[in-house]
Amino acid sequence: MEDYKALPVLVVDDEPFILNVLRHMLGQLGFEAITTAGSGEEALQILNAGELPQLILLDINMPSIDGVEFIRALVTLGYPGSLVLVSGESERALSAVMRLADVRGINVLGYLKKPVAPDALGELLATLSTRTLPSLSPSKASTYEPDILQTAIASGELVNYFQPKVNVQTGAFEGVEVLVRWLHPRDGLVYPDDFIPLAEDNGLIQALTMNVLCNTFRQLRLWQDSGLTVKAAINISMDDLNSLSFPDDLAKMAKDSGVSTHDIQLEVTERQLIPNLATVLDTLSRLHLKRIALAVDDFGTGYSSLAQLSDLPFDQLKIDKRFVHGASGNPTAQAIFIASTDIANQLAMETVAEGVEDRADWDWLQQMGCDVAQGYFIARPMPAEALPEWLEHWRQRVHAEDLLSSPTGPD
Ligand code: C2E
Ligand code: CA
Ligand code: CA
């Protein structure tokens, strides 16, 4: 089987000479679709632009984005292909990075020491043919047609679920995150990962966001009328921020439903934010002026620097679940978590830890002095009707399970 040689390959190395050598060697081995990138940033741009390669040759020592960070990005992108690590480092350093990639679920073919010998490269890549090749288009979203989704939005098949957030030090209820679901007539409850990308790619996301917002305001008003004031965080996409009328539309919706804009927060994922900094600054600033709180979502999965973040009017940093769940026993996750909370503190932002799944996560967050937590340990996303009962149950549970007395205790 020689058809693995038709697979698209990406070579990433900061030394132009090495890039040329590797490209040449790959060509000699019969590979045809070879792309090269002279830095981690350039490679990420290529990956973010769409087509994922099926094989990446990665130099692990690059000046700005190093191999470890790059692997983190591959995990985030759901990279389905194989990875070969290339480095002049000692075998020990290489094998440590290799283990890391492996733990994160990336298929590592092996590593090559510089200077790379053509035979070694050939042997390693030959193992590609014996492995089951991942499908070239892993897109799951394509199971639904855009016009079906469009009709579903218009006919009210999208429903909001709500996941509570609580204060880690006091146990207080802080509000909810709104998570949309599609109540599909045939398939039942469909999760956002199966239709948000579809909406984003087909110009439907603004209609979807307006639908989610409208339902949220209606629900907040209902809760308010029953004596329960709830703050809600809504996930928005880049296209929403590109619309200049978005802040005004939002403010009007709030006013019309008799809900204060103080009770609304918007979440934007770090990964969408940074590549679009210039475009979104305008809209974000105007939202901020309208006192609508803003949160950076999935923090730790993108590449914001302190300088980039400090330019933006964010109130909250939501640390991604992969650096929260199990962090107490995972030094890498811990390091990223601590660095993230440091950034938040320096910029006077509140931190929210996502993915709090068990008591160990909860206790650890208390010791870390984290502000707010969200996750299955506290509650799964639920329909609106279930919230008041959960709240009552939570208040009892805080005492029954002694949730506020961590080993070091709150200060
Ligand atoms: P997200 O904003 O990161 O939302 C958190 C996701 O983590 C939710 O998945 C939630 O159910 C899940 N989760 C909560 N607690 C835990 C936990 O303890 N452990 C684990 N493993 N997972 C937990 P969900 O509801 O499937 O949503 C997936 C993503 O879809 C969201 O990720 C968000 O980016 C997007 N999304 C959801 N609703 C909307 C929406 O109305 N508009 C837009 N644009 N995106 C949305
Ligand atoms: Ca979110
Ligand atoms: Ca998140």
Side-chain angles (χ1 to χ4, degrees), residues 177-179 233-236 267-269 297-298 318 354 374:
E177 175 173 5
V178 181
L179 295 160
I234 291 124
N235 293 285
I236 56 167
E267 298 190 2
V268 195
T269 65
D297 201 1
D298 302 337
K318 295 192 80 173
E354 296 189 311
Q374 178 183 347

Side-chain angles (χ1 to χ4, degrees), residues 73-92:
L74 289 179
V75 175
T76 308
L77 285 165
Y79 172 63
S82 302
L83 184 66
V84 169
L85 302 173
V86 186
S87 170
E89 290 283 301
S90 70
E91 293 205 2
R92 244 183 76 213

Side-chain angles (χ1 to χ4, degrees), residues 20 22 38 41 68 72 91 102 106 147 157 160 168 216 227 243 271 284 305 328 374:
N20 274 329
L22 287 172
E41 285 92 343
V68 174
R72 196 146 69 82
E91 293 205 2
D102 204 45
I106 299 278
D147 53 326
E157 283 176 20
N160 288 341
V168 183
T216 302
S243 152
R271 257 171 305 138
L284 286 176
S305 66
S328 57
Q374 178 183 347

Side-chain angles (χ1 to χ4, degrees), residues 346-365:
Q346 288 181 43
L347 297 177
M349 290 159 81
E350 191 181 48
T351 44
V352 179
E354 296 189 311
V356 181
E357 291 192 6
D358 53 34
R359 179 72 195 244
D361 295 342
W362 174 269
D363 287 345
W364 184 72
L365 287 176

